[in-house]
């Protein structure tokens, strides 16, 4: 049975970009006759804005996007993340790391391999085989050390290069964007599961929650596409079911970057029925939905039909 979710971080009100992701995940759930959930991803308490969750829930309700179950909050689910981390530690797939950002950059500079991914450097694996008497700061996933005979070892394709482990390249299929591939070990490195400040990392929390909530389909913005291989690795390591993924186009700011508060995204204007309909129409255009419907309910209903014809191959 289909279960989908919208999982915003409460860092501010919904803007044009986040409304696209919300609408797409709602449409996909409804087009499949499924359940739509909202999960407030408030693990990164440093970035959360007080009251933003309530604002977003109100904006969604004003657009007619109502969750089928009460929203859950990641800040209340730390015990689940700890259990998952303990499992990975027991399987030797997670290890403590004593490196600061500076330490990592120094090592990479020495190796002449300074590569970055967003704001994070590709971790060179310094603490993979021990802390060398440094105090532990964070916990990382070991991209090198999978237990043989677990699904992970079977499903990741071999790579021919000598001196490389045989399970590095991860292939997966996005429902909208098609075949995807990533070598997590080379391109990302051993990624963080629990941060030096004690906060849970997005990658672990999202995987644990998608499984705990029985999510079958993840529909979200393409800015998160790059995280998916890491999440699939974690699902395989934790022996969790793998949801299907669909990434939607991003709404770009005039500067060509992803729309965010930093480059002037303003709250989606949904105070009246007409303004909500206008905001949804705009979000719909980003998803290629040019359809009729003069009321909110009509517009949503006809969008579900368009979505069904496009993304639900078995329904027609
Ligand atoms: N909380 C993440 C964000 O707002 C989205 C997580 C997800 O959909 O997987 O960017």
């Amino acid at each position: 049975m289909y279960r989908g979710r919208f999982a915003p971080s409460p860092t501010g009100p919904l803007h044009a970009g986040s409304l696209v992701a919300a609408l797409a995940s709602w449409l996909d759930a409804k087009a499949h006759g499924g359940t739509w959930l909202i999960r407030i991803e408030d693990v990164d308490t440093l970035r959360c804005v007080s009251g933003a969750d309530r604002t977003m829930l109100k904006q969604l309700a004003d657009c007619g996007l109502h969750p089928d179950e009460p929203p859950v909050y990641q800040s209340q689910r730390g015990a689940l993340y700890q259990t998952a981390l303990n499992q990975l530690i027991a399987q030797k797939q997670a290890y403590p790391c004593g490196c600061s950002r500076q330490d990592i950059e120094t090592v990479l500079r020495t190796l002449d391999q300074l590569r970055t991914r967003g704001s994070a450097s590709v971790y060179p694996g310094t603490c993979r085989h021990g802390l060398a008497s440094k105090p532990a700061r964070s916990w990382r996933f070991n991209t090198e050390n999978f237990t043989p005979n677990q699904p992970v070892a079977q499903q990741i394709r071999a790579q021919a290069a000598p001196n490389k482990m045989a399970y590095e390249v991860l292939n997966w299929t996005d429902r909208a964007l098609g075949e995807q591939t990533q070598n997590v070990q080379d391109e990302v490195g051993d990624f963080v599961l629990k941060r030096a400040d004690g906060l849970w990392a997005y990658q672990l929390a999202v995987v644990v929650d998608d499984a705990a909530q029985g999510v079958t389909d993840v529909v979200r913005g393409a800015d998160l596409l790059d995280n998916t291989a890491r999440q699939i690795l974690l699902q395989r390591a934790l022996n969790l079911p793998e949801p299907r993924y669909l990434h939607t186009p991003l709404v770009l700011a005039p500067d060509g970057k992803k729309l965010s508060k930093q480059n002037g995204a303003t709250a989606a204007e949904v105070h009246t029925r007409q303004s909500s309909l206008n905001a949804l129409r705009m979000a719909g255009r980003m998803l290629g939905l040019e359809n009729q419907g003069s009321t909110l309910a009509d517009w949503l209903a006809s969008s579900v039909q368009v979505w069904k014809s496009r993304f639900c191959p078995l329904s027609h």
Side-chain angles (χ1 to χ4, degrees):
M1 184 57 185
Y2 182 109
R3 283 170 72 83
R5 80 331 186 251
F6 175 52
S9 304
T11 54
L14 289 183
H15 53 66
S18 35
L19 190 59
V20 171
L23 175 64
S25 66
W26 184 88
L27 286 172
D28 202 48
K30 298 300 147 184
H32 284 87
T35 301
W36 187 63
L37 311 171
I38 297 180
R39 182 171 70 232
I40 305 293
E41 300 215 321
D42 56 351
V43 268
D44 188 347
T45 44
L46 305 174
R47 286 179 58 234
C48 292
V49 172
S50 162
D53 58 325
R54 285 192 302 279
T55 305
M56 288 188 306
L57 293 171
K58 167 100 174 50
Q59 288 173 294
L60 291 168
D62 287 342
C63 289
L65 308 180
H66 303 284
D68 296 310
E69 293 176 11
V72 302
Y73 285 73
Q74 286 192 323
S75 55
Q76 294 164 13
R77 299 165 70 81
L80 286 176
Y81 312 144
Q82 189 63 55
T83 303
L85 178 59
N86 291 347
Q87 181 181 339
L88 294 172
I89 295 169
Q91 293 170 192
K92 301 210 179 332
Q93 288 169 323
Y95 63 86
C97 172
C99 299
S100 64
R101 194 173 283 214
Q102 178 102 50
D103 293 337
I104 297 170
E105 276 165 23
T106 309
V107 171
L108 290 173
R109 225 169 252 122
T110 320
L111 297 171
D112 202 17
Q113 279 183 6
L114 194 58
R115 288 172 296 160
T116 55
R117 188 168 192 82
S119 60
S121 305
V122 176
Y123 184 65
T126 319
C127 296
R128 199 184 267 157
H129 304 295
L131 281 164
S133 71
K134 285 189 289 189
R137 291 167 54 88
S138 58
W139 285 87
R140 288 182 183 273
F141 183 75
N142 189 342
T143 53
E144 193 184 55
N145 191 16
F146 291 109
T147 311
N149 303 321
Q150 287 207 332
V152 66
Q154 297 157 14
Q155 292 181 42
I156 301 177
R157 256 197 222 147
Q159 214 191 20
N163 302 324
K164 294 231 172 187
M165 307 296 276
Y167 39 69
E168 288 173 349
V169 178
L170 189 96
N171 299 291
W172 58 280
T173 307
D174 184 274
R175 286 172 52 208
L177 304 174
E179 295 304 307
Q180 307 290 319
T181 184
Q182 190 177 70
N183 181 328
V184 178
Q185 191 177 345
D186 272 6
E187 295 175 41
V188 182
D190 291 353
F191 54 90
V192 171
L193 301 169
K194 191 174 192 185
R195 297 168 17 172
D197 56 11
L199 297 178
W200 293 104
Y202 158 65
Q203 310 294 352
L204 182 67
V206 81
V207 161
V208 168
D209 282 337
D210 282 338
Q213 296 188 279
V215 168
T216 58
D217 285 78
V218 171
V219 177
R220 60 187 179 190
D223 54 316
L224 295 161
L225 183 69
D226 180 65
N227 295 272
T228 308
R230 270 170 277 177
Q231 293 169 13
I232 294 173
L233 279 192
L234 280 177
Q235 285 148 7
R236 293 179 183 179
L238 290 163
N239 215 6
L240 299 173
E242 291 170 34
R244 298 187 302 163
Y245 288 92
L246 189 162
H247 289 84
T248 63
L250 291 187
V251 181
L252 298 181
D255 62 4
K257 300 217 173 91
K258 185 200 162 196
L259 194 62
S260 70
K261 266 188 305 183
Q262 286 68 35
N263 57 22
T266 52
E269 169 62 62
V270 293
H271 297 304
T272 62
R273 294 210 145 234
Q274 189 56 46
S275 60
S276 298
L277 181 56
N278 291 344
L280 282 177
R281 280 199 179 118
M282 210 161 77
R285 272 197 291 277
M286 289 307 301
L287 296 166
L289 302 168
E290 292 286 355
N291 48 299
Q292 307 303 316
S294 52
T295 66
L296 209 60
D298 285 352
W299 189 88
L300 286 171
S302 68
S303 295
V304 169
Q305 294 313 317
V306 178
W307 194 273
K308 207 181 253 183
S309 65
R310 198 175 309 161
F311 287 114
C312 306
L314 299 180
S315 73
H316 58 100

